[in-house]
Amino acid sequence: MSQAYNAYGQPVGSNLDCWQSPSAPDAEPLVGRFCRVEPLDAAYHAASLWQAWRMPAPEFANDPDARARWTYLGGRPFDDEAGCQAWLSRMSVGRDPLCYAVVDPTDGQAAGMAMYLNIVPTDGRIEIGHLSFSPRMARTLMSSEALMLMMAHAFDMGYRRLEWKCDALNAPSRRAAERLGFRFEGVFRQHRVVAGRNRDTAWFSVLDAEWPAIRECHRCWLAPENFDTAGCQRQSLSSMTATISPS
């Protein structure tokens, strides 16, 4: 793409006269084959989320009450089901962040939550974050599809830029972002103070021009023919998205 210049001969960004800012996301359910991403209702989802979040995670042998999964979110902010419901009630008030429960359609139970946040329609910018997936979702098609549905919905609404941010030390989150097709943009040093500790924040993004190729990778990876009779993937999603050139 050739560089644009203004009347003063200065280089300027590309013209967006034909672009219209999207609406803020509404709390509509997103339905896939392996999960349902629905507006979070604290009274309805708290019991199943509390049970799911209490499950021990195999990767954390010294974590009897499943707190380790909350480390990079500042620690688990509740100790019992009543506290879980109260926290969910506070988190789900308002439209930014906009909270969703990830529901397993096989039994209708919520197994995790996710949010849209930092929603700026005037810039066409939105973020997916505060992913609190339970051990029940670990390494499942449900967890991957939930994020793919949220990514697709953001671009279907007309957003230009989708962001992912995480603690720079959170290696699993960084791997998840890159596997889904997000591009690493850098680290904001001393970006936040979380639970009394410094947090450097890693930034990732997907742009609307990159989305069609990433969406096709998602479609191909989820296709039944990409999995054998034992449910093992024939080709990994990360190997597919790694071939896409950034815009």
Side-chain angles (χ1 to χ4, degrees):
M1 183 180 298
S2 60
Q3 176 64 59
Y5 294 86
N6 66 9
Y8 310 104
Q10 298 166 305
V12 293
S14 57
N15 192 300
L16 297 177
D17 284 347
C18 296
W19 178 75
Q20 293 183 341
S21 60
S23 301
D26 53 15
E28 64 180 273
L30 310 175
V31 180
R33 289 166 52 209
F34 306 103
C35 72
R36 187 170 68 252
V37 182
E38 63 187 30
L40 192 144
D41 180 328
Y44 181 73
H45 294 119
S48 55
L49 283 173
W50 166 245
Q51 292 301 322
W53 284 332
R54 290 180 65 199
M55 292 174 61
E59 65 267 36
F60 300 121
N62 298 320
D63 179 30
D65 63 356
R67 290 179 181 270
R69 299 181 70 88
W70 295 80
T71 295
Y72 296 113
L73 294 174
R76 196 176 71 189
F78 47 82
D79 296 314
D80 53 27
E81 184 176 330
C84 177
Q85 182 169 338
W87 179 75
L88 290 172
S89 295
R90 293 193 298 272
M91 295 298 287
S92 57
V93 172
R95 308 290 293 181
D96 187 357
L98 185 60
C99 303
Y100 293 86
V102 182
V103 176
D104 185 340
T106 62
D107 61 9
Q109 298 297 298
M113 67 177 288
M115 302 180 184
Y116 286 128
L117 65 161
N118 295 319
I119 303 164
V120 188
T122 53
D123 293 332
R125 174 165 52 90
I126 192 170
E127 179 182 346
I128 293 175
H130 212 298
L131 308 178
S132 302
F133 290 177
S134 71
R136 178 177 177 177
M137 295 182 64
R139 294 177 291 279
T140 65
L141 289 168
M142 176 169 55
S143 62
S144 296
E145 187 183 47
L147 295 169
M148 292 173 180
L149 288 170
M150 293 185 73
M151 293 175 71
H153 188 54
F155 288 111
D156 287 346
M157 286 187 290
Y159 283 85
R160 306 170 56 231
R161 171 182 169 87
L162 178 61
E163 298 176 341
W164 177 298
K165 306 185 187 83
C166 63
D167 190 309
L169 298 175
N170 189 349
S173 183
R174 295 182 67 152
R175 288 195 299 269
E178 292 179 336
R179 173 176 175 268
L180 288 162
F182 285 84
R183 299 292 180 251
F184 176 62
E185 294 185 326
V187 172
F188 276 33
R189 300 177 298 164
Q190 296 188 187
H191 180 225
R192 295 178 57 194
V193 176
V194 177
R197 295 180 179 274
N198 175 66
R199 169 173 144 163
D200 297 341
T201 298
W203 287 54
F204 299 81
S205 71
V206 174
L207 305 184
D208 53 356
E210 299 163 344
W211 172 240
I214 293 171
R215 178 177 55 195
E216 180 62 13
C217 289
H218 291 180
R219 187 195 67 79
C220 291
W221 184 78
L222 282 173
E225 56 267 26
N226 190 44
F227 295 87
D228 62 22
T229 55
C232 296
Q233 62 183 358
R234 302 183 189 278
Q235 185 175 1
S236 69
L237 180 59
S238 57
S239 68
M240 296 179 183
T241 55
T243 63
I244 301 172
S245 299
S247 294

